[in-house]
Amino acid sequence: MGKPSIDDLRERVRGAVVTPQDDGYDEARAVNNAMIDRRPAAVVRCANAGDVMASVDFARDNGLDLAVRGGGHSVPGFGTCDDGVVADLSGMRSVRVEPGRRTARADGGATWGDFNAATHAFGLAATGGIISTTGVGGLTLGGGIGYLARGLGLSCDNLLSADVVTADGRLLVASDEENQDLFWALRGGSGNFGAVTSFEFKLSPVKDVYGGPMLFELDDAGSVLRSFQELIADAPEELGGFPAFQIAPPLPFIPEDRHGDAFALIVACWAGPVEEGERALQPFHDIAPVVAEHVGPMPYPALNSAFDALVPPGLQHYWKANFVTELTEDAIEAHLRYGPRLPAVNSTVHIYPINGACHRVAPEETAFAYRDANFATVIAGMWPDPADNDANIAWVRDYYEATAPHSEEGGYINFMADDDQGRIRANYKDNYDRLVEVKRTYDPGNLFHLNQNIRP
């Protein structure tokens, strides 16, 4: 039998197959990072798990690269490729909640906005990210850091099972009861082991939260970082959030004459009883005078989507990341040197706390290995004009090089750029060799290599 053709693929799938000759091709091949301009041979707009299986089979049987796209937020552009096949799951977005069991099942293309809208109706949530347009799949497979992580653990810690299309085209269930080695690897090992078409999460009671951003003068940034580290070390686990650097966007709660100025921020999230929120956040207010804030009770999905407007599709992206055990004085000085130099209102630096419930999972219990780190830092370079690429990439790299000596060797896989492949072993520490063995079992030919790749 000959190799299957595009016509054969079209016959097998329910969703559309978009090729360079078809209308809508440029839209179909685009990902959020406008720095990425790749031209796949086919984009399969998957309608169901069967379409994903067909896409995997077609790419494997034709010796083509395979990209798996969920939310499309991958900074290195792993959701597309040149001359290969894109299995685009973004049309598979349903979320089904079982409130009695406190579980939810999300399709592989669902975003956290989709997930939160479904679960919030029942007063339930799981740890999601910071931007609601982020894909559930990509975030969870890389670990999953978000506002609720200190209390509920990482997204992957809330994962109960996953339906996975493996390189041989089979659909497997991975859980504590079935294919346990695959389930272990999926929780932090990113997209190396298959295309996940469905995720089942345990949920926890979280409906309304008390929080939002507080802006401080740059002169107080050192105090903000030092005090946040001290306060969050033993704060109640219902308290989440992070310190940051940010250029003030033109929002009503910020004085008009300060729009465009850089500030130090604390973005807070109290997920305990809302009536206790003001008291819970008071220590942050006591650090230094607050220039502006938008803090109060709100639905959790409102906080999870509060920064969406700063990260629209079509920006240029270049990011760097490190895990951090301690914000030393040298590290803080590096942040004070580079943080205020943010090149655009879209760019930001976040320092996420990952203690609390994240520390109660042993490093070997999931693929996510940095269970002793207290923070995950991201230097998120984002800007609209490609003419600024060289200068802004240099800012990210210089910032990273200044903070790296005061950080752990590895970084959070979801925040890594396309030039970070050399750090993969460091990212997984003692779990790396076990991940290689799982890769050899489920993807010995490395079909799923468009990722921060664990080579078999």
Side-chain angles (χ1 to χ4, degrees):
M1 295 180 63
K3 294 180 179 179
S5 67
I6 291 288
D7 287 339
D8 294 328
L9 179 61
R10 285 195 167 105
E11 286 293 321
R12 186 174 167 188
V13 302
R14 183 169 181 82
V17 177
V18 186
T19 68
Q21 292 75 40
D22 296 320
D23 293 339
Y25 174 72
D26 285 336
E27 177 187 358
R29 69 187 180 91
V31 291
N32 280 39
N33 185 357
M35 208 179 282
I36 309 300
D37 183 22
R38 295 179 185 142
R39 301 185 65 83
V43 177
V44 184
R45 295 193 179 277
C46 299
N48 51 43
D51 286 2
V52 179
M53 296 164 71
S55 302
V56 169
D57 287 343
F58 184 82
R60 183 195 63 243
D61 293 346
N62 283 282
L64 299 175
D65 280 346
L66 173 67
V68 180
R69 182 192 305 164
H73 277 235
S74 165
V75 170
F78 291 141
T80 189
C81 58
D82 281 322
D83 304 319
V85 178
V86 175
D88 181 1
L89 279 62
S90 63
M92 299 169 55
R93 295 177 60 167
S94 72
V95 180
R96 178 179 175 81
V97 181
E98 294 196 31
R101 294 181 59 229
R102 287 187 178 175
T103 64
R105 182 170 290 279
D107 279 353
T111 67
W112 284 104
D114 299 326
F115 189 90
N116 294 335
T119 59
H120 184 259
F122 301 98
L124 299 168
T127 302
I130 306 299
I131 304 296
S132 76
T133 54
T134 303
V136 169
L139 188 90
T140 301
L141 294 174
I145 294 170
Y147 288 110
L148 304 178
R150 294 190 68 247
L152 305 184
L154 304 172
S155 303
C156 71
D157 299 334
N158 292 272
L159 188 65
L160 297 174
S161 70
D163 294 343
V164 191
V165 179
T166 50
D168 57 7
R170 291 182 298 161
L171 180 66
L172 303 180
V173 176
S175 70
D176 279 333
E177 286 76 42
E178 300 178 76
N179 301 301
Q180 293 94 334
D181 55 345
L182 179 59
F183 186 54
W184 174 84
L186 292 175
R187 289 174 289 167
S190 195
N192 276 281
F193 308 97
V196 181
T197 61
S198 178
F199 297 82
E200 183 188 20
F201 293 92
K202 66 179 179 183
L203 303 176
S204 298
V206 176
K207 187 171 186 181
D208 294 339
V209 298
Y210 190 99
M214 296 169 272
L215 279 64
F216 301 87
E217 298 287 5
L218 288 175
D219 287 347
D220 294 316
S223 297
V224 168
L225 296 179
R226 294 181 187 97
S227 298
F228 186 91
Q229 174 170 236
E230 181 179 347
L231 290 166
I232 210 68
D234 56 3
E237 291 181 358
E238 296 91 342
L239 184 62
F242 52 90
F245 289 95
Q246 181 72 54
I247 293 173
L251 295 174
F253 73 90
I254 301 172
E256 190 172 352
D257 63 345
R258 302 306 303 274
H259 294 174
D261 289 353
F263 290 92
L265 271 71
I266 290 178
V267 183
C269 175
W270 170 256
V274 172
E275 63 273 14
E276 298 176 10
E278 184 175 358
R279 179 176 58 83
L281 267 59
Q282 187 59 46
F284 294 151
H285 286 89
D286 293 340
I287 293 171
V290 176
V291 177
E293 65 180 338
H294 188 62
V295 171
M298 66 184 77
Y300 167 67
L303 182 59
N304 191 234
S305 61
F307 297 100
D308 287 4
L310 290 174
V311 193
L315 296 177
Q316 310 288 306
H317 288 255
Y318 184 79
W319 298 20
K320 287 289 184 182
N322 270 110
F323 289 117
V324 179
T325 301
E326 179 187 1
L327 287 172
T328 64
E329 280 302 310
D330 287 340
I332 290 171
E333 287 304 313
H335 282 292
L336 298 180
R337 187 159 68 252
Y338 287 97
R341 302 182 193 175
L342 296 155
V345 67
N346 316 93
S347 295
T348 192
V349 179
H350 292 175
I351 305 174
Y352 299 113
I354 50 171
N355 58 347
C358 303
H359 281 186
R360 290 198 293 277
V361 178
E364 70 279 1
E365 199 170 327
T366 67
F368 188 97
Y370 274 88
R371 298 295 183 165
D372 55 346
N374 289 309
F375 301 98
T377 298
V378 60
I379 305 161
M382 299 178 282
W383 58 91
D385 190 347
D388 298 328
N389 285 5
D390 289 347
N392 294 351
I393 288 172
W395 170 76
V396 175
R397 286 177 173 162
D398 290 346
Y399 198 150
Y400 168 75
E401 288 171 6
T403 54
H406 317 296
S407 307
E408 300 301 312
E409 187 179 0
Y412 180 38
I413 204 81
N414 287 342
F415 292 159
M416 298 235 153
D418 58 357
D419 54 5
D420 279 316
Q421 181 65 45
R423 301 176 64 197
I424 301 305
R425 180 179 284 274
N427 291 347
Y428 293 111
K429 298 199 291 186
D430 293 342
N431 289 339
Y432 182 78
D433 290 339
R434 182 178 173 188
L435 284 164
V436 171
E437 289 304 311
V438 178
K439 180 75 168 179
R440 288 172 179 164
T441 299
Y442 292 95
D443 186 17
N446 205 12
L447 178 65
F448 295 98
H449 66 272
L450 296 181
N451 43 46
Q452 300 293 356
N453 195 225
I454 297 166
R455 295 183 178 92

